């Protein structure tokens, strides 16, 4: 087991990474819970696979649990589903110190974290991510939210977990499409901050797709290290944390434009990263060769390399609702070659239009 | 105009108190807004009285505004109504730096503050309280929330405003019942921490009921001073802030038991304070003479001095759902005479039963 620490001004928490951690969840969690009671929040896909084992591990550590099983999918990341968590908390007479445990992917983690942020104005929570995307990205750093029909993650909170427990063994059951979606966020870390890691991803793409344990552990570890480092510098996204949004302005537009859940988040981010790289090329910051490398790596792990053609007006409208907007100007994170990125806060409309009518849009 | 400062580890904000401040709102707010755009949140009772003046004042200061008018009343402090605020923010293409302005009483302030806490994970907000209760209590200190059908303020956040603007002139239009409800919270400050102020309240009860400007300004000022002092010591209610909940465990049970909105919050707190004082008497901490003084002062301003008879089981069930519970034990704030209070975290069930079947319950 590898343990990383995420250190913030007001708190510090461990990220445990390894194989077989689910059955040690009780022992690992017990020291950080203010009260030996927890509500496990999961979904109807994950529950049959892992809920009983998590319950058994917590029970063995003397932690009383209840569970609530949500419908699976991004399309349920809304008020109605969030209220199922609150109803369960009411029903179990949960207190302010009762811990919420997220057992699932990014949607379960985001909703459980947001419910914890709001429950009696702030309850503890723990992340047990079951997808690669959640293990490398969404479970770490305390961004929690639900969607508004008009925009992804518009309603949420910054609320940090007490602990993150990333069991690589849980990825064995992950559908191939979700494995690929998680790799999009892994590659993102290489693109924005570590050219050597991007090289490693290129070399290990086949091993990652084959779920080689050593490769996955390294990918999760390096991703979490970079995320913890960036979030530690900038919890509330006043500066450098924005770089983690590479591909996300385009990606959120794809998700909202097609309807939440049609594309997986990681798929939309993959296509969005290519559009951001193309924008960087339009601005003279990225070479054609670098663009080709990114496209090739995404294609090698079965990620989409063409965004859907939403139409220019729809793109702009959907991105205008995106929260990464400042004073009416569209902000984009763009790569500066491979291994570096920056925020461009007043993007030229013509360059943007060229990207949105360019080679990375499906025809 | 009197200006108090509320100082917290991470922020500091002014509380302006005076007559005629509404028409100076733009000039007072402009320096604290990160962007000259705001959504005014109000309700259908307050809007016809004050919305146009607030809009005019903000416009004169160069602040663009939109307004959303919610249905009035505690029974609307729920998800459905909260979503009206989010829909308005989406509709105006609000950004993370757009300010929400609460123009109304405690319900509007709590909901606007909670919406601001959640909008894009945290937007600025300003309180323009229009009721005495909101001016002396709910607008100051950053507690925001909505109700769950099974419990008041179960879902919320600690989120501080950028500024509080308490215009005493707005109290001219307040219905008598709401004036009395606000005085319950004013008296609470005397009870928990300032015997001299409680004496002053007794002497000035008639002047307060007659809406004497000097008396009201002193009452709001002293209440806000005490609240700012307590919140400054303990923003997240880990300790001393709990004293502000005097009467609230009983009071919330009354509100939930009768259905939110049947009794005003301040009315329920008044009856709840008497029950807490009776509990203190049962525990030997309050004399019969002190109990009589509290009852007489509440009665002098037309506040209820008998709680509804919910029945013992309903009382206990409703209070068990109250969030001021710790490890299954019922916690109560109880006065120690007049001018001092403490938290009693393991209340004797027999003493509690005597109170709930005692002289301050309606027969």
């Amino acid at each position: 087991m590898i343990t990383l620490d995420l250190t913030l001004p007001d708190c510090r928490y461990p990220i445990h990474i390894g194989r077989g951690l689910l059955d040690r969840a009780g022992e690992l969690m017990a020291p950080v819970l203010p009260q030996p009671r927890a509500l496990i929040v999961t979904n109807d896909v994950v529950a049959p696979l892992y809920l009983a084992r998590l319950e058994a591990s917590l029970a063995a550590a003397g932690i009383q649990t209840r569970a609530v099983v949500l419908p699976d999918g991004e399309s349920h990341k809304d008020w109605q589903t969030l209220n199922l968590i609150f109803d369960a908390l009411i029903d179990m007479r949960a207190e302010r110190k009762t811990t919420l445990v997220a057992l699932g992917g990014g949607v379960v983690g985001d909703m459980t974290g947001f419910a914890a942020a709001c429950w009696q104005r702030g309850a503890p929570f723990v992340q047990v991510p079951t997808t690669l995307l959640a293990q490398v990205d969404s479970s770490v750093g305390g961004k929690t939210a639900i969607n508004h029909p008009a925009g992804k993650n518009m309603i949420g909170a910054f609320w940090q977990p007490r602990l993150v427990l990333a069991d690589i063994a849980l990825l064995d059951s992950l559908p191939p499409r979700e494995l690929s979606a998680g790799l999009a966020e892994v590659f993102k870390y290489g693109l924005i901050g570590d050219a050597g890691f991007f090289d490693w991803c290129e070399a290990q793409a086949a091993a990652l797709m084959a779920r080689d344990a050593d490769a996955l552990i390294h990918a999760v570890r390096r991703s979490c290290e970079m995320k913890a480092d960036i979030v530690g510098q900038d919890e509330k996204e006043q500066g450098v944390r924005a770089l983690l949004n590479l591909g996300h302005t385009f990606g959120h537009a794809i998700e909202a434009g097609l309807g939440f859940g049609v594309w997986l988040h990681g798929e939309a981010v993959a296509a969005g990263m290519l559009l951001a790289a193309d924008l960087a090329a339009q601005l003279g910051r990225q070479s054609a060769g670098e663009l080709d490398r990114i496209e090739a790596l995404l294609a090698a792990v079965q990620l989409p390399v063409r965004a859907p053609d939403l139409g220019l007006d729809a793109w702009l409208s959907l991105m205008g609702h995106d929260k990464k907007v400042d004073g009416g100007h569209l902000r984009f994170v763009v790569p500066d070659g491979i291994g570096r990125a920056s925020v461009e806060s007043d993007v030229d409309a013509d360059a943007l239009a060229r990207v949105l009518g360019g080679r990375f849009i499906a025809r």
Side-chain angles (χ1 to χ4, degrees), chain A:
Chain A
M1 185 174 85
I2 297 158
T3 300
L4 308 174
D5 268 314
L6 200 159
T7 307
L8 294 167
D10 293 336
C11 72
R12 176 189 179 130
Y13 59 90
I15 303 159
H16 298 306
I17 303 166
R19 273 193 79 88
L21 301 187
L22 183 65
D23 300 313
R24 295 176 55 195
E27 131 206 10
L28 293 166
M29 277 183 209
V32 306
L33 303 200
Q35 183 188 68
R37 290 180 77 205
L39 175 69
I40 301 171
V41 181
T42 186
N43 69 34
D44 50 20
V45 172
V46 173
L49 297 171
Y50 302 120
L51 177 57
R53 280 170 57 197
L54 179 58
E55 287 174 331
S57 176
L58 296 188
I63 302 166
Q64 286 178 23
T65 63
R66 288 277 289 270
V68 59
V69 179
L70 310 179
D72 178 46
E74 184 82 30
S75 61
H76 296 287
K77 195 172 155 182
D78 56 17
W79 282 130
Q80 286 81 358
T81 310
L82 189 74
N83 270 323
L84 299 177
I85 304 178
F86 294 128
D87 291 345
L89 288 163
I90 289 281
D91 194 53
M92 74 186 280
R93 294 180 167 257
E95 298 167 36
R96 197 177 262 168
K97 292 176 181 176
T98 303
T99 298
L100 285 78
V101 180
L103 174 69
V107 172
V108 166
D110 281 9
M111 296 186 73
T112 306
F114 185 45
C118 299
W119 175 248
Q120 301 197 13
R121 301 195 184 94
F125 88 111
V126 164
Q127 290 271 18
V128 185
T130 60
T131 65
L132 180 59
L133 188 135
Q135 291 188 353
V136 299
D137 185 31
S138 59
S139 71
V140 172
K143 274 196 180 180
T144 74
I146 57 170
N147 299 330
H148 186 281
K152 190 174 159 81
N153 295 336
M154 296 305 268
I155 299 162
F158 287 99
W159 193 248
Q160 301 294 337
R162 295 287 175 109
L163 180 147
V164 181
L165 196 154
D167 184 349
I168 306 295
L170 305 190
L171 304 182
D172 294 348
S173 61
L174 202 62
R177 202 180 146 194
E178 297 218 28
L179 181 74
S180 297
L183 289 173
E185 298 278 5
V186 172
F187 302 160
K188 181 189 77 180
Y189 293 104
L191 270 177
I192 64 172
D194 187 343
F197 183 57
F198 192 87
D199 296 343
W200 180 90
C201 290
E202 289 179 317
Q204 299 292 320
L208 290 164
M209 286 297 275
R211 307 185 194 216
D212 174 86
D214 290 341
L216 283 174
I217 287 179
H218 182 73
V220 173
R221 176 200 186 135
R222 184 67 195 125
S223 298
C224 287
E225 276 172 0
M226 289 184 68
K227 179 128 190 198
D229 179 49
I230 289 170
V231 172
Q233 292 174 54
D234 176 25
E235 181 183 6
K236 301 288 174 66
E237 198 172 310
Q238 318 271 299
V240 66
R241 185 167 183 167
L243 299 184
L244 294 172
N245 296 322
L246 176 68
H248 283 60
T249 302
F250 293 112
H252 287 177
I254 294 171
E255 290 183 85
L258 297 181
F260 290 118
V262 177
W263 279 33
L264 295 176
H265 175 64
E267 294 171 335
V269 167
M273 286 196 297
L274 264 179
L275 294 176
D278 192 20
L279 184 60
Q282 300 284 345
L283 303 172
R285 298 200 183 164
Q286 189 95 348
S287 72
E290 288 162 334
L291 212 49
D292 289 343
R293 278 181 69 190
I294 300 169
E295 182 179 5
L297 179 56
L298 297 175
V301 300
Q302 317 290 336
L303 282 165
V305 291
R306 296 290 178 272
D309 186 7
L310 303 175
L312 186 61
D313 287 351
W315 275 110
L316 295 178
S317 164
L318 289 162
M319 294 193 296
H321 271 312
D322 190 278
K323 67 189 164 306
K324 282 161 282 296
V325 169
D326 188 5
H329 302 290
L330 277 172
R331 279 174 71 200
F332 289 90
V333 183
V334 290
D336 296 318
I338 283 169
R340 225 160 63 106
S342 57
V343 174
E344 184 61 46
S345 44
D346 196 4
V347 165
D348 177 62
D350 292 339
L352 182 59
R354 280 195 298 276
V355 168
L356 294 173
R359 63 182 264 225
F360 295 113
I361 303 289
R363 289 282 166 252

